[in-house]
Amino acid sequence: MATAPVKRITDIGPPHYEKFLHPMIKKNYGNWKYHETLAPGVLCHVAESGDRIYTVRAGSPRLLSVATIRLFADLADKYSGGYLRFTSRNNVEFLLEDKGNIEPLKRELAAAGFPVGGTNNAISNIVHTQGWVHCHSSATDASGIVKCVMDALYDRFTHEDLPAKLRIALACCLNMCGAVHCSDIAILGIHRRPPKILHETLRKVCEIPTVIASCPTGAIRSATVNGNPSVEVVEEQCMYCGNCYTVCPAMPLNDPENDGLSIWVGGKVSNARSAPTFSKLAIPFIPNNPPRWPEVVNAVVNIVDVYARNARRFERVGEWIDRIGWPRFFELTGIEFTRYHIDDFKYAGLTFARSAHLRY
Amino acid sequence: MADGNGKPKAQMLDELEKGPWPSFVKEIKKAAETSPVCHDLMGQLEVSYEEKRSHWKHGGIVGVLGYGGGVIGRYSDLPDQFPNVAHFHTLRVNHPSGWFYTSDALRTLCDIWERHGSGLTNMHGSTGDIVFLGTKTDELEPTFKELTEAGFDLGGSGSVMRTPSCCVGQARCEWACYDTMAACDDITRTYQDELHRPAFPYKFKFKFSGCPNDCVAAIARADLSIIGTWRDDIQQDDAAVAEYAASGLNIQKDVCNRCPTHCMEWDGKKLTIENKECVRCMHCINVMPKALRPGKEKGAAILIGAKAPILQGALLSSVLIPFVPAEELLDTLKELVSRIWDFWGEYGKNRERIGELIQRVGMANFLDGIGLDPVPEMVGSPRDNPYIYFQGKDGDQGT
């Protein structure tokens, strides 16, 4: 007699969050009154009931081994009743009932190499993508540049001494898995040459109409190559978005000498004061220079330093530039303004200076 | 790439162990102590650093039985040199709302991943999932089995509803204007089929932020952005305002002058807010959290259409429903979503996000399609061009 097959569990969704909430959070859920910052990376939330929960926030490299996650679990057991969470910017947060545990926890985190900070007017962790660690379309590495930039900005993570919050993000190609397009400073990997068509592969693995339809600028058209149907790229129409490569592996864009980084500034997501806005181009191209990418690090640190010296209290990078104007931004940062800064894609005129509001 | 001990030489990557910020290279080396595949990952990554290019091939179609998403296929283009990462697939594991865990839950995840994969993770991926980084095809099903037995499930990938995410919300934030974690969890559970089985033109993302500070970047990153707000007056504690002033805050300069609608006045003793003109930007509340709080009539604005640049350019979400009371939010959202998905399924092209479809067919046609009336809150301003497509219907000639 056949035995009944074991029931396969599917479509259960994630565990319900209530199972993972600290008892004090469960008790005061929806009834928090206010919060204060006790130190960079240390918050105290006060409930209507008078209860206080302390949060200690530490930076992580996002790419974590199970050994490090177990270390966080052990620290949570020791100091926060086994309860912890992660933030949208890849920081880990321990939720403490006992104020006396803050300093010992901070000491253990420091000893293990995890800095406490990233709150308020500090630079929080850099959200980023996979890069060469795990992605096929990346124009650069992600984790490596983030490591180098955060090494240089370490004190900006552990201190809250900027005029306002400053959010940095990195995406290793235009697909922007990290959605960097609304960041105070965005580091964006870019390709700069059209795809190299692998005609033999294309014939076997790609649908030609899909490849043609994938191009947002209509730069791909059908062609006969060596007697076989294939495609060709009108190179001057290509802006290297890589969408054709996403739908067809025979259209790779990787090019070590021409791939690299661009830097964008002045975007924000929050509605505080000014409306959410996109980041704008600051530096069109910096070559890849692993393992430490000094040119990228210097470019980001320079922008942060100039901003820190010149912005007024509560001005995000974009709000500061709005006040002083783009010519002054380029002057103060020493960044060269080029033809590439002037938009020539769709709706380009929207970013032209369409007034006589000029600063001299 | 290996020296006499079988350990990879990684001279360039070794440089990334230096410096004060926590090092991902150290993490890979830690994982390599128990997982030999990480040696090959280091080896291949070192080659990428030397050659300045990726050595991963375009993904293939792999997954678990009955699901069309949740696994990202990844293959090395140097399989002879690094056979242990010839297959190096990623699993996206749906995170709990708010990214809350107990230490035991984390250990369970670690144990499963150590048994079946590289032992490397992202906590978390950009969309919010727990990312299990790197395993072989024949480990996918056993990993999935253990995950579901432990109460976890896969997240989304491809043309599905992607794993929804939310801010910490009412669990630990006084500003949350609705229960973001409950909403995120409910939507995730309600649409399990849409999350696991691709039936859409392209991806569809939900993000739930409890207030206009928008800590999960809903307005920049989600096809449907649910952003908490309030409809009545800011709650104001005059004594606490005076305390901020006494402790040195320059209320005129740092609060009133920074207000985008200049709706507040400070006479040196009392702060007066013209709430009708307040746009709920959060600045004054952010600066004086003990003195000012969102109002009591709480809910959310629903915005639509954000995306990164691929394909037709980046978009921010724009207002679809200016205010839904918190207690009506989920019902409204589900009704709205079914209409939006119907319209998108009918008219969306392959790889066309909802925001791009709206751009292509026009917001007014989209509103007709989903049965929503136009309201002035939807626009920054009315159109400034005279090219109006008048509808030829009876009695609707633009008069």
Side-chain angles (χ1 to χ4, degrees):
Chain A
M1 224 169 73
T3 51
V6 181
K7 187 172 163 22
R8 193 165 172 276
I9 307 167
T10 68
D11 298 273
I12 56 171
H16 197 278
Y17 55 87
E18 264 180 21
K19 296 200 310 197
F20 299 149
L21 296 183
H22 191 291
M24 188 184 274
I25 283 185
K26 231 182 234 179
K27 178 186 163 200
N28 295 290
Y29 197 99
N31 291 301
W32 296 99
K33 193 173 178 190
Y34 68 89
H35 75 273
E36 352 177 71
T37 305
L38 305 185
V42 184
L43 305 173
C44 170
H45 284 82
V46 182
E48 301 280 5
S49 67
D51 285 349
R52 289 166 181 263
I53 196 147
Y54 302 93
T55 299
V56 174
R57 178 184 295 178
S60 94
R62 185 179 91 129
L63 198 165
L64 295 177
S65 64
V66 292
T68 294
I69 298 173
R70 286 179 181 134
L71 168 74
F72 292 160
D74 291 345
L75 289 174
D77 280 347
K78 195 165 170 188
Y79 294 112
S80 60
Y83 297 94
L84 69 170
R85 70 177 292 265
F86 292 82
T87 73
S88 58
R89 303 191 81 85
N90 312 121
N91 301 303
V92 59
E93 288 185 341
F94 298 88
L95 304 154
L96 284 57
E97 210 169 320
D98 180 357
K99 194 177 180 182
N101 277 337
I102 295 173
E103 289 309 318
L105 172 59
K106 283 172 77 171
R107 277 197 294 276
E108 284 212 42
L109 283 165
F114 296 96
V116 171
T119 44
N120 299 310
N121 294 355
I123 292 181
S124 190
N125 209 341
I126 300 181
V127 291
H128 61 281
T129 55
Q130 299 290 17
W132 294 333
V133 173
H134 207 250
C135 184
H136 64 292
S137 66
S138 48
T140 186
D141 191 34
S143 309
I145 300 176
V146 167
K147 162 74 176 144
C148 299
V149 172
M150 287 309 290
D151 276 343
L153 294 174
Y154 187 85
D155 289 345
R156 301 278 190 198
F157 182 87
T158 55
H159 295 75
E160 297 182 344
D161 52 8
L162 285 166
K165 63 166 79 167
L166 197 155
R167 297 290 175 256
I168 305 178
L170 182 146
C172 51
C173 83
L174 269 56
N175 276 311
M176 283 195 198
C177 301
V180 303
H181 55 297
C182 294
S183 305
D184 293 284
I185 301 176
I187 306 167
L188 176 63
I190 51 169
H191 300 288
R192 293 192 305 156
R193 288 292 180 272
K196 292 177 280 285
I197 307 165
L198 310 173
H199 294 286
E200 277 305 304
T201 313
L202 189 140
R203 208 153 64 88
K204 288 178 224 151
V205 300
C206 306
E207 291 177 354
I208 288 173
T210 308
V211 181
I212 292 171
S214 74
C215 180
T217 65
I220 301 176
R221 55 194 185 198
S222 59
T224 303
V225 179
N226 300 327
N228 293 313
S230 190
V231 299
E232 64 183 6
V233 176
V234 184
E235 298 206 343
E236 52 273 26
Q237 261 171 259
C238 176
M239 55 16 173
Y240 333 112
C241 73
N243 198 49
C244 55
Y245 181 50
T246 301
V247 304
C248 171
M251 308 283 285
L253 285 90
N254 288 344
D255 181 337
E257 293 319 307
N258 284 294
D259 292 348
L261 289 310
S262 55
I263 309 283
W264 306 70
V265 298
K268 73 196 270 283
V269 162
S270 149
N271 284 270
R273 301 169 305 282
S274 56
T277 189
F278 292 129
S279 312
K280 318 291 191 294
L281 181 64
I283 302 175
F285 183 70
I286 302 173
N288 271 318
N289 191 2
R292 298 288 316 191
W293 280 274
E295 298 83 0
V296 176
V297 172
N298 290 341
V300 173
V301 169
N302 175 45
I303 293 167
V304 172
D305 286 348
V306 172
Y307 160 75
R309 277 198 303 273
N310 289 278
R312 292 178 186 162
R313 200 170 176 214
F314 298 117
E315 274 179 345
R316 296 277 295 261
V317 170
E319 293 168 320
W320 162 61
I321 298 172
D322 268 354
R323 175 169 60 79
I324 64 166
W326 285 97
R328 185 101 176 105
F329 168 80
F330 284 99
E331 185 190 318
L332 284 171
T333 56
I335 294 170
E336 185 192 2
F337 185 82
T338 70
R339 59 175 293 147
Y340 300 120
H341 291 88
I342 303 177
D343 194 358
D344 53 8
F345 202 63
K346 268 190 297 188
Y347 317 119
L350 295 175
T351 55
F352 294 172
R354 299 184 298 180
S355 80
H357 292 186
L358 294 163
R359 297 169 175 86
Y360 299 106
Chain B
M1 290 308 296
D3 63 18
N5 303 320
K7 294 260 176 73
K9 274 189 205 162
Q11 288 171 343
M12 291 182 100
L13 291 174
D14 286 350
E15 289 297 311
L16 292 168
E17 290 191 71
K18 299 172 184 167
W21 189 254
S23 164
F24 74 101
V25 173
K26 282 186 185 163
E27 294 297 318
I28 300 176
K29 287 189 175 177
K30 272 193 219 173
E33 286 170 16
T34 51
S35 168
V37 305
C38 294
H39 292 298
D40 277 9
L41 177 66
M42 283 283 288
Q44 178 171 317
L45 191 57
E46 179 76 10
V47 174
S48 282
Y49 269 62
E50 286 163 2
E51 297 178 1
K52 298 192 266 191
R53 54 158 300 191
S54 172
H55 279 288
W56 298 107
K57 284 203 293 196
H58 204 278
I61 297 171
V62 286
V64 300
L65 197 66
Y67 281 15
V71 181
I72 316 297
R74 190 66 71 219
Y75 300 89
S76 170
D77 72 2
L78 302 169
D80 297 335
Q81 208 172 339
F82 303 108
N84 287 316
V85 293
H87 309 193
F88 201 65
H89 311 315
T90 287
L91 288 109
R92 291 184 182 161
V93 181
N94 200 149
H95 64 290
S97 276
W99 298 289
F100 280 91
Y101 298 94
T102 56
S103 50
D104 286 344
L106 287 181
R107 288 193 190 99
T108 301
L109 289 167
C110 289
D111 293 348
I112 293 172
W113 190 228
E114 200 166 48
R115 278 195 289 278
H116 295 291
S118 69
L120 285 175
T121 72
N122 292 143
M123 299 298 279
H124 295 79
S126 294
T127 298
D129 295 286
I130 303 157
V131 174
F132 280 0
L133 208 59
T135 194
K136 296 181 192 319
T137 307
D138 49 15
E139 290 289 353
L140 294 172
E141 198 61 41
T143 312
F144 179 68
K145 182 170 183 288
E146 288 202 33
L147 279 170
T148 50
E149 283 168 0
F152 284 88
D153 199 347
L154 296 188
S157 68
S159 296
V160 299
M161 177 183 84
R162 295 295 181 88
T163 306
S165 74
C166 65
C167 70
V168 71
Q170 296 180 343
R172 200 207 49 200
C173 182
E174 67 271 26
W175 296 330
C177 293
Y178 68 97
D179 190 343
T180 57
M181 302 216 307
C184 180
D185 187 81
D186 187 300
I187 292 294
T188 308
R189 250 171 251 292
T190 303
Y191 299 113
Q192 280 291 295
D193 196 33
E194 287 78 0
L195 196 157
H196 296 305
R197 294 169 196 90
F200 292 152
Y202 201 12
K203 63 181 96 168
F204 194 95
K205 297 188 177 187
F206 286 87
K207 290 193 189 292
F208 299 87
S209 280
C211 84
N213 282 325
D214 198 358
C215 286
V216 287
I219 202 163
R221 304 194 50 190
D223 297 274
L224 217 52
S225 320
I226 298 93
I227 301 177
T229 187
W230 65 96
R231 197 151 60 171
D232 54 345
D233 294 353
I234 290 175
Q235 299 183 65
Q236 188 174 337
D237 178 341
D238 287 327
V241 175
E243 275 176 40
Y244 276 106
S247 67
L249 179 70
N250 187 333
I251 293 185
Q252 182 61 46
K253 189 176 166 204
D254 290 333
V255 181
C256 298
N257 293 358
R258 291 275 171 215
C259 171
T261 59
H262 303 290
C263 73
M264 13 184 61
E265 279 183 28
W266 170 246
D267 66 3
K269 286 185 195 135
K270 181 159 169 51
L271 184 72
T272 310
I273 304 175
E274 188 54 68
N275 276 280
K276 271 280 160 210
E277 287 162 23
C278 168
V279 288
R280 282 95 180 135
C281 87
M282 292 296 293
H283 173 75
C284 60
I285 296 174
N286 291 343
V287 176
M288 300 193 288
K290 284 186 191 173
L292 303 177
R293 304 168 70 187
K296 291 179 174 165
E297 202 185 329
K298 295 182 167 91
I302 300 177
L303 296 83
I304 191 165
K307 57 181 286 296
I310 304 294
L311 192 57
Q312 299 288 344
L315 295 170
L316 289 166
S317 279
S318 69
V319 174
L320 194 60
I321 302 182
F323 188 81
V324 185
E327 55 280 8
E328 296 169 22
L329 181 60
L330 273 170
D331 287 344
T332 304
L333 203 51
K334 287 175 190 174
E335 173 62 28
L336 186 67
V337 163
S338 78
R339 297 190 205 177
I340 291 169
W341 284 348
D342 278 352
F343 185 85
W344 187 39
E346 182 83 13
Y347 299 104
K349 295 196 289 193
N350 184 31
R351 289 174 64 74
E352 186 174 49
R353 297 279 287 269
I354 190 70
E356 289 177 340
L357 172 62
I358 293 171
Q359 296 265 303
R360 180 164 64 81
V361 304
M363 178 61 90
N365 286 331
F366 172 71
L367 293 176
D368 282 349
I370 63 165
L372 212 57
D373 289 331
V375 293
E377 284 86 351
M378 291 174 179
V379 296
S381 75
R383 71 164 73 221
D384 56 10
N385 66 65
Y387 306 133
I388 307 172
Y389 294 103
F390 282 107
Q391 306 289 295
K393 293 175 211 149
D394 289 345
D396 182 13
Q397 296 294 324
T399 54

